[in-house]
Amino acid sequence: MSEIDNCDNELVGEQPANYSNYSKGQFLDDIERRLKMFMLRCVKLCRSLPDNFESQHFGRQLIRSSSSAAANFRAVRRSRSQKEFFAKLSISLEELDESLFWLETLILTDLIPEHRLADLIDEGNQLLKILSKSRKTAGD
C-alpha cells in the first residue's frame, strides 16, 4: 500500500505528538510529514465531491490552500534567515487556517456531513496550534 493510499488511516486515532524529546530536525520532519498527509487527505476528499459548481469550487480552494500550507512549510526548512523563516511559517499558518475554513464550508453547505470531516479538522487544528506556537517562539 502506498503512502497516498494509506493517508486516510495514518493519522486517525494518532495521539498528538510529544515533541519535547525531538531534535529540531525531527520536529520539522514530523510536521512536514503531517502537513503532506493533511494535503493528501484533502485531495482524496475533493475527488469524492459531487460534480457541481459549488463542490468543485470549494474543492479547488481546499486543494490550493492545503497544498500551499505544505509547500510553504517545506520552504520554511530552507529559509536563509530568521525573517524568511518567520515569513514562510506565517504563510503556511495562514494557508492551513484557510484550509480549515474550506472544510468548515463543506459542512455548512451540507456537501459533506460533519462526522466525515471530524478527524481531518482535528488534525488541521492540531497543526494550526503547533505552527502558531512555533511562530510565536520564532518571533520571540
Side-chain angles (χ1 to χ4, degrees), residues 26-138:
Q26 290 171 318
F27 168 76
L28 294 172
D29 286 345
D30 192 58
I31 298 303
E32 185 173 346
R33 175 190 66 84
R34 288 176 67 179
L35 283 166
K36 284 179 184 176
M37 291 299 105
F38 179 81
M39 179 214 34
L40 290 171
R41 291 174 70 192
C42 289
V43 168
K44 287 181 82 173
L45 167 71
C46 292
R47 288 177 181 159
S48 73
L49 290 173
D51 191 20
N52 59 44
F53 176 79
E54 62 272 18
S55 296
Q56 296 306 305
H57 173 72
F58 299 149
R60 282 187 194 94
Q61 294 290 78
L62 176 58
I63 289 172
R64 188 203 51 76
S65 60
S66 63
S67 60
S68 182
N72 277 288
F73 190 79
R74 183 180 173 108
V76 164
R77 306 209 47 198
R78 283 140 186 84
S79 56
R80 295 165 290 195
S81 69
Q82 191 65 16
K83 283 186 177 183
E84 188 177 5
F85 179 92
F86 188 86
K88 292 293 184 182
L89 187 57
S90 294
I91 293 168
S92 189
L93 186 59
E94 289 171 20
E95 294 292 342
L96 181 59
D97 188 50
E98 184 178 329
S99 299
L100 289 167
F101 170 81
W102 293 117
L103 290 169
E104 292 165 6
T105 299
L106 290 170
I107 293 167
L108 291 171
T109 55
D110 294 323
L111 292 168
I112 299 184
E114 185 172 0
H115 72 274
R116 277 197 54 213
L117 296 182
D119 288 333
L120 187 56
I121 290 172
D122 180 58
E123 175 64 3
N125 281 320
Q126 286 182 37
L127 286 165
L128 197 63
K129 288 176 186 175
I130 292 165
L131 293 183
S132 294
K133 177 125 174 130
S134 296
R135 186 174 67 170
K136 182 176 178 349
T137 301

